[in-house]
Amino acid sequence: MGTTGQRYVSEVNGPVEQGRSGVGRVLAALRLTVVSGVIGAALAALVVGVILKDVPVLATGGGVLVLLVLLAFLGGRRGAGRDEPPALRTALARIEDLRATGGETADVPVTFRLTVAPEPEDERPAYRVKISQSINLVDIPAYRPRGIAVVEYHPEKPWDVRIVTRPTPEWSRRAEEAEIDSAPESTLVRDPDGGTGAWCLLVLVGLLAGAALVVLVFRGELFVSGDAGDGPAKPSSASRTFSTSTTVSGPSSSLLTFGRMRVTAMELEARVDSAYVTAITIEDHRMAVRGDSALPPAETVHLQSLPYELFPGLVREARTTLGVREPESWRIDVTPGTGGGVGPRVRVTVSGEEGTAHLDADAAGRVTDRRAVGVS
């Protein structure tokens, strides 16, 4: 069920929805600023009333705060009575990119960039969305860039998307057969209430403006002044190439321990701030990566897309079937494929007194070639 030739959100109803959303956000910003100003003025009136021992000013500030709390309580109860459980829709989505953001427990927080393709009866064009969801460590290899996943979304809140980790057999079959085109970046949808930084700034401005107004009214009696300071600017920098490694130690510290390779890869990804690398080297107690941020994703390896849970089995097979009776060391090298849709190449090398041998595997952990000791 390909989606080639599909229309996108920004091309169909973007101007109308953006216009309505823009007016609504302006009105919400004005309302928030006014309410914040009133709160700031009431708090300042309380302080001024205490300093000047002015009972009417103190009573006015306290009365306004009590009134605002009462209105907020009544409005919250009325809004809660109108809320209904969201009617979720099921659809397919193309995984554009993913990045794990932690890894201390069995459930790993992963940030996904998706192209969601709603069903035709939903009458909604395909669009892009960025979500964060916890995925079990064992299930992460099932989610790869350009793969298809089953998702649920709220029809009235398209940014509210959740990946279905255990879809029904019917949806699993559809996901295996589907081909979904990438939606343009212009179709990216966001939670209009997600930009908390701008709203916090409006609240701060309103509070300060309200408080300043009260202080100005009573400035003749207070005789106070204040200074404002400027915050430091954050420098930014970019690196074109990078390389790093880490060594694990302690009891049961071998990277062959289940889950240790993936957790170590997450640590290296966080260190270099990139999921795309050009080479990965894994030894018993050491993992190293290197990369070049100038290269396109097709010429790199995505750190979290590798089947690390299958690598220990490849090492065991190489140590027992390639003619090295007493292997002294092993190493896994992962490099990008040769193009044409070929995924990363995994090479497991073992060394001992008899010599060195290796086997090659694909991105799914399937052995594709062997070079045993004594075989040219």
Side-chain angles (χ1 to χ4, degrees):
M1 51 177 294
T3 58
T4 303
Q6 62 196 5
R7 296 180 300 172
Y8 301 109
V9 171
S10 62
E11 299 171 354
V12 178
N13 53 7
V16 176
E17 290 189 357
Q18 290 175 4
R20 293 175 179 172
S21 175
V23 173
R25 297 187 71 177
V26 169
L27 294 176
L30 291 175
R31 184 168 59 250
L32 181 63
T33 304
V34 171
V35 173
S36 301
V38 173
I39 294 175
L43 292 174
L46 286 176
V47 176
V48 170
V50 171
I51 294 175
L52 300 179
K53 297 180 180 180
D54 190 328
V55 176
V57 174
L58 182 63
T60 300
V64 171
L65 287 179
V66 171
L67 179 61
L68 289 175
V69 171
L70 181 61
L71 291 176
F73 176 74
L74 294 177
R77 293 195 60 178
R78 184 173 55 184
R82 291 197 306 262
D83 289 341
E84 296 180 358
L88 299 180
R89 304 284 180 86
T90 305
L92 298 179
R94 172 190 171 98
I95 301 175
E96 303 293 347
D97 189 19
L98 70 158
R99 175 179 294 185
T101 57
E104 297 298 330
T105 62
D107 291 330
V108 179
V110 181
T111 299
F112 291 90
R113 284 186 176 271
L114 307 172
T115 289
V116 180
E119 295 295 287
E121 56 268 21
D122 291 342
E123 297 183 353
R124 176 178 290 277
Y127 61 92
R128 282 205 182 199
V129 68
K130 181 179 179 180
I131 66 170
S132 181
Q133 181 173 335
S134 294
I135 302 296
N136 190 274
L137 190 67
V138 178
D139 295 334
I140 287 183
Y143 303 100
R144 301 180 181 178
R146 298 180 294 278
I148 305 299
V150 181
V151 300
E152 288 182 341
Y153 73 97
H154 194 300
E156 298 180 359
K157 301 177 182 178
W159 57 85
D160 185 6
V161 178
R162 183 184 67 87
I163 293 179
V164 181
T165 56
R166 296 291 183 269
T168 63
E170 172 64 19
W171 278 103
S172 297
R173 181 188 62 79
R174 295 177 64 177
E176 293 175 356
E177 299 174 355
E179 295 180 3
I180 299 176
D181 297 337
S182 297
E185 277 295 336
S186 59
T187 65
L188 181 67
V189 297
R190 295 183 176 91
D191 186 350
D193 297 327
T196 56
W199 298 112
C200 290
L201 180 61
L202 286 176
V203 171
L204 179 60
V205 170
L207 289 172
L208 293 177
L213 180 61
V214 173
V215 172
L216 286 174
V217 171
F218 294 92
R219 67 184 182 279
E221 302 177 44
L222 294 173
F223 298 102
V224 295
S225 62
D227 297 323
D230 297 328
K234 270 191 177 178
S236 60
S237 59
S239 176
R240 301 295 292 175
T241 60
F242 56 84
S243 64
T244 188
S245 64
T246 185
T247 302
V248 295
S249 59
S252 303
S253 61
S254 172
L255 286 172
L256 294 179
T257 303
F258 181 79
R260 181 62 64 88
M261 286 188 190
R262 186 171 298 280
V263 171
T264 305
M266 293 176 187
E267 295 174 356
L268 294 178
E269 177 183 339
R271 188 180 301 177
V272 300
D273 193 25
S274 176
Y276 295 93
V277 299
T278 56
I280 306 171
T281 302
I282 306 173
E283 297 173 305
D284 196 24
H285 297 281
R286 179 177 178 273
M287 180 180 289
V289 298
R290 65 175 183 271
D292 185 347
S293 58
L295 293 176
E299 299 179 17
T300 62
V301 178
H302 194 281
L303 272 173
Q304 298 305 325
S305 68
L306 297 174
Y308 295 104
E309 291 73 21
L310 303 180
F311 285 179
L314 294 176
V315 173
R316 287 193 295 271
E317 183 172 348
R319 297 173 72 175
T320 56
T321 64
L322 299 182
V324 182
R325 290 189 296 273
E326 295 183 0
E328 298 174 355
S329 63
W330 60 268
R331 187 180 74 251
I332 300 175
D333 294 293
V334 184
T335 54
T338 56
V342 178
R345 188 185 71 167
V346 181
R347 169 163 289 188
V348 182
T349 304
V350 292
S351 301
E353 294 183 358
E354 294 86 355
T356 299
H358 67 262
L359 61 81
D360 292 335
D362 58 19
R366 296 184 294 264
V367 176
T368 58
D369 189 26
R370 290 181 173 85
R371 289 291 186 271
V373 172
V375 178
S376 58

